[in-house]
Amino acid sequence: MGRITLDKITKSFGDVQVIPPLDLTIEDGEFVVFVGPSGCGKSTLLRLIAGLEDVSSGEIRIDGKNATETPPAKRGLAMVFQSYALYPHMSVRKNIAFPLRMAGMDQKEQDRRIDNAAKVLNLSDYLDRRPGQLSGGQRQRVAIGRAIVREPAAFLFDEPLSNLDAALRVGMRLEISELHNRLETTMIYVTHDQVEAMTMADKIVVLRAGLIEQVGSPLDLYKHPRNLFVAGFIGSPTMNLIAGEPARAYDATTIGVRPEHMALSTESGKWTGKVGVAEHLGSDTFLHIHETGLAETITVRADGEVTLRHGDTVHLTPVEDKIHRFDGEGMRIS
Amino acid sequence: MATQHSRAAARLMISPAVILLLGWMLIPLGMTIYFSFLRYNLLMPGTEAWAGFENYSYFLTDPAFFAAIWNTLFLVGGVLLITVVGGILLALLLDQPFWGQGIVRLLVIAPFFVMPTVSALVWKNMFMNPVNGLFAFLADAIGMQPVDFFAEIPLLSIILIVAWGWLPFATLILLTAMQSLDGEQLEASEMDGAGAVSRFFHIVLPHLARAITVVILIQTIFLLSIFAEILVTTNGGPGTATTNLTFLVYAESLLRFDVGTGSAGGVVAVILANIVAIFLMRMIGKNLDA
């Protein structure tokens, strides 16, 4: 069980309030990702849930029980840190065993759980090594192993993949998703990388300056961003945001068009521009179009076979029913 | 361009420094060894004669020699124990955030800057004096018999004085080591259910192992040659109660004017120091790699 409810929690450091009153419910078994630019308070929020920071006001409930004053060890949550925080003087086995030893569990049960976790995480061959002798990905798995053996109500991940190289990151992303499917335990995952958020989450919480901008499923956020911030943050490459005259034609202050919703033509179209950089990915080509009079650059997704060259003149037409409209406050007009 | 010529030139260039350093070390050592085989008394100049191992047998069978060995070991061991344990505790304390941290840290380091003769004199006359000392006053105040430190517990008194001087050194090194501990490791162990005490023993202390090794190694080197504190307080007495090896060598050569025996003692001291060094390296040197 791992249903976590945050009830009007706030956090201030001295006079600075980093988390204004915030409500959030995380259902049992959900994979929730907190995403936002750096300094948006997502890590602080996670640490509040973990109990490593005290809330300034409000209430945290875990499975309906008030856990606001409960010390971190008693909350039944396990955390995987950005730096992995492995104990360098202990072998992998001792690292994984540490929470069990602290709980005073008997040796047989300890061994059973450790061997189980090692099998799940492909660590069986490394149990006697020190963390210093492992690669980044293996260390990551040890950190996850140390969390798994406790059989916690929920896992907390604090940017766990940011120290890995790109290829490894994609692999670990899959492994963590896989793990979630198998364990069916609540997971809360903090990242600044919206791709990680989109690929892993059941539910994404977009944060900015301690405020929740939007909560929803990845596709929900992608299709119906509630405001300009979410529109610009979710999606890669980012949504084209166009203000001024072209937007007024749609009764909005700003309109947003995703790169894949921009039709490209060499003959005719609504807007005209010149091709700048073309990024060929094989399956797709992302074209950066300049001199459109709409915005500095307009990004367009074309198919992989496109033969346009630098400096060619092209015409753009947005897909009418896929245009996102935003008002003067940056809120969505539906 | 490390050609044959430039390498030869490089050797030529550094040779003055190497020769100077080598001479600095080898000439005194050679002279000490040479003197240790002579009957050489300053009261009878001009009567130096070859003595073979007589000086050595005289020095090694002197009852004061064994007393000096034990005193040296107790002195080094006692000071190490106090400074390492005290240093860890002080470092733990100073690592906490509190008001006036900077000033307090500066004050803690201060004893290290007081020269040994001065600190020993201050301790002797202001604290440990059985009539006028602060400790005597305190004992009087609670109706106890004042302790005559240098008569009743002379070696312990010296250990206290030396430990006071070296405590800041240990504290400083251990404090910086403690500050280099990754905060996330402590938080992780906290989430893993470790209380403050198990956090200290399972996370902090292993992290400090290397720093403790450094403290022990460096302090041992200096503590083997403690001299000033003994000279200004007890003069090695009462009897030989506070005579360590260094002081014994001094007593032989400059109080009894027997340079030959003093030199033999010096050579013995060098050999013993090397044995200690080898043992130390064996025991804790493995902490330094990894």
Side-chain angles (χ1 to χ4, degrees):
Chain A
M1 282 297 287
R3 186 188 147 98
I4 298 169
T5 313
L6 310 180
D7 192 358
K8 293 193 187 59
I9 59 163
T10 68
K11 176 66 186 174
S12 306
F13 292 109
D15 294 337
V16 188
Q17 191 174 52
V18 291
I19 310 261
L22 181 146
D23 293 296
L24 184 68
T25 303
I26 295 155
E27 297 297 338
D28 183 36
E30 239 180 353
F31 196 122
V32 178
V33 175
F34 294 169
V35 68
S38 55
C40 70
K42 56 192 188 296
S43 284
T44 309
L45 193 56
L46 192 74
R47 292 167 61 83
L48 288 174
I49 296 173
L52 294 170
E53 303 274 0
D54 294 324
V55 293
S56 302
S57 70
E59 200 174 283
I60 297 173
R61 284 190 294 274
I62 299 173
D63 289 331
K65 282 195 292 283
N66 185 353
T68 319
E69 303 292 330
T70 315
K74 299 258 157 64
R75 296 193 182 191
L77 308 174
M79 185 149 164
V80 175
F81 289 84
Q82 184 171 3
S83 67
Y84 318 141
L86 300 179
Y87 312 128
H89 54 278
M90 297 182 197
S91 67
V92 169
R93 174 181 286 279
K94 289 223 172 103
N95 260 287
I96 297 178
F98 190 73
L100 307 180
R101 258 171 79 200
M102 288 297 117
M105 188 178 286
D106 71 46
Q107 194 61 44
K108 247 198 211 129
E109 175 68 6
Q110 280 192 26
D111 287 342
R112 193 187 63 78
R113 287 199 187 187
I114 294 166
D115 291 337
N116 229 344
K119 214 176 293 161
V120 170
L121 295 163
N122 284 327
L123 283 170
S124 301
D125 296 339
Y126 307 106
L127 281 177
D128 295 319
R129 301 232 189 133
R130 293 277 178 93
Q133 299 164 305
L134 301 179
S135 70
Q138 289 166 340
R139 284 183 213 182
Q140 178 67 72
R141 283 206 285 268
V142 176
I144 294 174
R146 200 171 60 185
I148 289 180
V149 288
R150 291 181 55 196
E151 298 180 356
F155 290 97
L156 311 177
F157 292 93
D158 187 6
E159 308 215 17
L161 303 186
S162 53
N163 287 344
L164 300 178
D165 65 56
L168 214 48
R169 207 177 301 171
V170 175
M172 282 308 294
R173 213 160 70 192
L174 285 173
E175 278 187 44
I176 293 176
S177 297
E178 195 69 41
L179 194 70
H180 177 243
N181 286 336
R182 184 159 32 190
L183 297 176
E184 294 176 339
T185 312
T186 313
M187 290 191 178
I188 306 177
Y189 188 105
V190 162
T191 180
H192 59 264
D193 182 354
Q194 59 90 25
V195 177
E196 274 176 31
M198 292 294 283
T199 50
M200 300 169 85
D202 293 327
K203 183 158 96 182
I204 298 181
V205 178
V206 183
L207 288 157
R208 179 172 59 164
L211 284 167
I212 294 180
E213 295 285 331
Q214 192 171 0
V215 179
S217 72
L219 282 184
D220 191 31
L221 261 59
Y222 192 78
K223 286 182 181 154
H224 308 288
R226 205 164 66 91
N227 56 30
L228 270 177
F229 177 78
V230 179
F233 194 79
I234 300 289
S236 170
T238 53
M239 184 189 280
N240 296 301
L241 296 172
I242 300 157
E245 196 54 47
R248 266 195 287 284
Y250 290 93
D251 279 336
T253 314
T254 312
I255 56 169
V257 185
R258 296 224 176 257
E260 65 267 33
H261 298 144
M262 199 70 102
L264 197 65
S265 156
T266 44
E267 281 107 40
S268 65
K270 192 165 180 147
W271 299 314
T272 313
K274 276 199 164 56
V275 176
V277 174
E279 296 173 307
H280 296 278
L281 301 180
S283 57
D284 302 302
T285 304
F286 291 111
L287 295 164
H288 297 259
I289 315 287
H290 302 292
E291 296 172 34
T292 53
L294 304 167
E296 181 108 350
T297 327
I298 295 289
T299 316
V300 177
R301 192 183 85 180
D303 66 48
E305 307 296 325
V306 76
T307 52
L308 289 166
R309 302 182 63 98
H310 185 91
D312 287 355
T313 302
V314 287
H315 304 277
L316 303 171
T317 315
V319 180
E320 291 294 332
D321 60 343
K322 301 282 188 189
I323 293 175
H324 305 269
R325 301 183 304 138
F326 300 98
D327 65 17
E329 262 89 62
M331 300 305 286
R332 178 183 190 83
I333 307 168
S334 47
Chain B
M1 224 178 43
T3 60
Q4 206 81 47
H5 283 296
S6 66
R7 241 180 280 153
R11 278 200 203 113
L12 194 71
M13 299 289 188
I14 60 166
S15 55
V18 172
I19 289 167
L20 188 74
L21 284 174
L22 220 57
W24 201 275
M25 188 190 80
L26 285 182
I27 292 171
L29 184 66
M31 283 177 74
T32 309
I33 294 174
Y34 172 61
F35 288 156
S36 72
F37 289 108
L38 292 183
R39 182 177 303 132
Y40 185 178
N41 195 308
L42 292 176
L43 294 178
M44 293 175 279
T47 63
E48 292 86 38
W50 186 255
F53 282 93
E54 208 176 284
N55 286 329
Y56 285 94
S57 67
Y58 178 73
F59 186 82
L60 291 175
T61 52
D62 185 354
F65 170 70
F66 291 101
I69 294 271
W70 284 120
N71 287 339
T72 308
L73 289 181
F74 277 129
L75 185 58
V76 172
V79 174
L80 281 180
L81 190 72
I82 295 177
T83 50
V84 170
V85 173
I88 291 172
L89 295 178
L90 264 179
L92 272 176
L93 205 62
L94 292 175
D95 202 25
Q96 312 298 321
F98 57 89
W99 191 83
Q101 208 173 25
I103 297 280
V104 172
R105 283 189 188 163
L106 204 67
L107 286 177
V108 167
I109 297 160
F112 201 48
F113 296 117
V114 180
M115 50 194 91
T117 41
V118 174
S119 78
L121 279 176
V122 168
W123 275 89
K124 181 187 181 186
N125 295 326
M126 287 184 67
F127 291 111
M128 292 177 165
N129 188 298
V131 180
N132 303 316
L134 188 67
F135 293 148
F137 173 77
L138 288 177
D140 268 340
I142 56 169
M144 275 173 60
Q145 181 82 27
V147 181
D148 186 357
F149 283 91
F150 292 111
E152 290 168 38
I153 42 167
L155 190 60
L156 189 63
S157 306
I158 297 215
I159 289 175
L160 278 180
I161 295 172
V162 176
W164 177 81
W166 280 95
L167 191 55
F169 173 77
T171 307
L172 202 63
I173 291 193
L174 295 172
L175 178 63
T176 49
M178 215 172 271
Q179 283 169 340
S180 75
L181 177 58
D182 179 15
E184 286 198 343
Q185 261 181 49
L186 284 176
E187 288 178 343
S189 60
E190 195 181 342
M191 293 215 59
D192 283 346
V197 177
S198 14
R199 274 212 297 282
F200 174 75
F201 282 106
H202 286 111
I203 312 294
V204 178
L205 211 53
H207 176 76
L208 290 182
R210 191 179 295 201
I212 292 174
T213 310
V214 170
V215 167
I216 290 178
L217 278 177
I218 293 180
Q219 285 202 19
T220 305
I221 293 166
F222 284 93
L223 294 178
L224 280 172
S225 56
I226 287 291
F227 177 73
E229 288 88 342
I230 298 172
L231 184 74
V232 301
T233 53
T234 62
N235 251 314
T240 55
T242 55
T243 300
N244 67 354
L245 217 47
T246 323
F247 198 84
L248 187 63
V249 171
Y250 159 77
E252 286 293 348
S253 39
L254 291 171
L255 296 182
R256 282 169 219 136
F257 303 107
D258 188 347
V259 176
T261 308
S263 301
V267 173
V268 171
V270 168
I271 293 169
L272 285 180
N274 275 296
I275 292 173
V276 171
I278 289 169
F279 265 104
L280 272 180
M281 284 299 189
R282 277 271 172 91
M283 251 177 353
I284 49 186
K286 63 174 187 286
N287 255 336
L288 287 177
D289 40 62

